[in-house]
Amino acid sequence: MTTGNENRISNLPTDLLISIISRLTVLEATTTSILSTHWRYLHRYITHLNFPIYLPRVDMNDPYIFVVTRVLHLHRGGRIKEFRLCMSRCFKYGMDKWFEFALSKKAEIIHLRGHPYIDYPYIDYKALFLRLRNTNNGFECLKDLCLLGPGMTDQDLKLLLSNCIALESLKLEYPFELENVSIVGHTKLKHLNLSYLKACSIVIPNAISLVSLTLRILNDRCSMQLTCMRDQLQIMHITARVESNCEMYHMYQKSRVDLVNVKHLELTFIAVKFSLGPYFLSNFFRLVRLVEACSSLDKLVIKLPILPPSHDECTLETYVGPRCELSPKYLEISRYSGAPSQLALTLYLIDNASRSLQKVSVVAQDEEALARARHDFQHIASVSFSVM
């Protein structure tokens, strides 16, 4: 009976078999070669090249970089749909060749990821563009690009974006060498994620199709011009430091943009010092304009700075926030420790969103904080508690 089932599967059209095993990781797809002679070379034609973070069957004499290079060398398919590679460590050399391979195969999705702090992936973009100067270079097919620690310069990013005319999703993490980021002329871009930037400026003037925007800024003095915020924007993730001189807080305070279709807003705060409770509150109140501008919010997530209660110099009477009309139906407070500034902020949000708020969720940073949260919000209806 088993043999019959195996024969029926093997008798399926070759294109269909390739489509089936293309849904597996490269390692899993390769193991199908032992099933029969008909399956022996099918894995060389898969259209989804997904390299897992670990290759457990590779011995010490065949490191990750060798396995990836060998798989690409043996690949015989004319075109691939996606190329995903996630490494537990990074290799300074080889990444540019893998990127070029994915482009040559007209991949629509390219995700190259590794560890950002261990010799980040190196791609010589200038040399890459020189080698791919002809119009049929694969960039025009790219729709989804993710690079971790790409090490690209401002000019590299400009060249990359000018060639990727169909790009719909762009994610750059730890691009420490970028100084002045400009996303210009990309009317098809729907998802933009710029994480852990040290850039001095970010300009996004005309991304009229943008649906989701994620910004995680490490430079407190970073200036931003985000005139792309129009009716189509639905998801925003903003990360900022707690420091009182951060340009971003002032930018949103002066903003007059109405984000009428934003349904999900997530604000994450990072504290580099423990004694920043008052700064955190005062800066958050500058961001209230941004929250208020999202007049149709379904969910508001606040990820609080890690702040032990004993190091918080704030009291509940330290700051009185401005009255405003907030609209979230669901409020999630994450990393709650019970510090006075965190309690004050949570009560402020609940009070100013009382007309629309249907549910509150408090995620405590430990069991002790969970006990404080249950005590602090016992009078709030429809509240749930959990631990990180």
Side-chain angles (χ1 to χ4, degrees), residues 162-181:
S162 64
N163 281 273
C164 299
I165 57 177
L167 196 64
E168 297 179 359
S169 179
L170 174 64
K171 183 175 183 179
L172 301 177
E173 290 185 305
Y174 301 95
F176 293 145
E177 294 183 27
L178 290 179
E179 296 181 357
N180 298 289
V181 178

Side-chain angles (χ1 to χ4, degrees), residues 100-365:
E100 186 174 348
F101 169 87
L103 290 172
S104 70
K105 295 291 185 176
K106 314 297 182 185
E108 296 181 10
I109 302 171
I110 300 178
H111 287 197
L112 301 179
R113 309 194 65 187
H115 197 291
Y117 294 114
I118 307 178
D119 199 16
Y120 59 72
Y122 177 80
I123 298 176
D124 188 342
Y125 290 96
K126 292 180 182 178
L128 181 64
F129 286 121
L130 285 174
R131 291 196 300 271
L132 301 174
R133 281 180 294 185
N134 63 82
T135 55
N136 191 28
N137 54 27
F139 282 109
E140 74 281 357
C141 301
L142 192 55
K143 295 183 179 180
D144 184 346
L145 175 63
C146 173
L147 296 173
L148 177 65
M152 64 172 58
T153 64
D154 296 344
Q155 184 64 22
D156 294 335
L157 178 60
K158 183 178 179 180
L159 283 171
L160 181 67
L161 292 176
S162 64
N163 281 273
C164 299
I165 57 177
L167 196 64
E168 297 179 359
S169 179
L170 174 64
K171 183 175 183 179
L172 301 177
E173 290 185 305
Y174 301 95
F176 293 145
E177 294 183 27
L178 290 179
E179 296 181 357
N180 298 289
V181 178
S182 181
I183 310 293
V184 180
H186 266 269
T187 57
K188 295 183 179 180
L189 193 63
K190 297 179 181 179
H191 309 282
L192 178 62
N193 185 326
L194 302 175
S195 292
Y196 309 110
L197 288 167
K198 293 183 177 180
C200 298
S201 67
I202 300 174
V203 179
I204 311 175
N206 56 358
I208 59 175
S209 300
L210 205 62
V211 173
S212 68
L213 174 64
T214 298
L215 295 175
R216 296 184 173 96
I217 313 300
L218 296 181
N219 184 354
D220 300 332
R221 296 291 186 177
C222 181
S223 64
M224 286 178 277
Q225 298 179 30
L226 307 178
T227 53
C228 64
M229 292 183 179
R230 300 186 182 183
D231 290 350
Q232 78 286 343
L233 195 63
Q234 298 177 24
I235 302 171
M236 290 186 69
H237 297 259
I238 306 294
T239 299
R241 288 185 174 182
V242 172
E243 283 77 6
S244 59
N245 61 354
C246 186
E247 286 287 331
M248 190 178 70
Y249 296 113
H250 300 287
M251 181 196 70
Y252 287 126
Q253 190 179 27
K254 298 174 183 177
S255 174
R256 294 294 182 269
V257 179
D258 290 325
L259 305 171
V260 295
N261 283 327
V262 172
K263 302 298 183 182
H264 182 110
L265 176 62
E266 182 174 308
L267 302 177
T268 301
F269 298 92
I270 303 172
V272 295
K273 298 180 181 178
F274 280 148
S275 57
L276 289 175
Y279 291 152
F280 165 57
L281 274 184
S282 61
N283 278 331
F284 180 84
F285 291 147
R286 294 191 182 107
L287 276 177
V288 164
R289 169 58 191 155
L290 172 65
V291 182
E292 192 174 23
C294 303
S295 55
S296 302
L297 269 183
D298 286 334
K299 185 174 183 179
L300 172 62
V301 179
I302 305 294
K303 293 188 175 181
L304 300 166
I306 301 297
L307 192 66
S310 59
H311 289 76
D312 194 346
E313 298 175 353
C314 179
T315 65
L316 292 180
E317 293 78 24
T318 301
Y319 288 96
V320 177
R323 292 296 304 177
C324 59
E325 188 72 28
L326 305 182
S327 64
K329 298 176 183 177
Y330 175 71
L331 172 64
E332 179 181 312
I333 302 296
S334 183
R335 305 194 296 208
Y336 186 80
S337 69
S341 62
Q342 298 184 355
L343 173 58
L345 173 63
T346 305
L347 293 175
Y348 170 81
L349 291 172
I350 292 174
D351 181 49
N352 284 273
S354 58
R355 291 187 179 182
S356 61
L357 200 57
Q358 299 175 8
K359 184 179 179 181
V360 178
S361 175
V362 179
V363 182
Q365 64 183 33

Side-chain angles (χ1 to χ4, degrees), residues 55-64 66-67:
L55 295 175
R57 300 187 186 185
V58 179
D59 61 34
M60 294 302 293
N61 295 321
D62 292 334
Y64 195 106
F66 174 82
V67 175

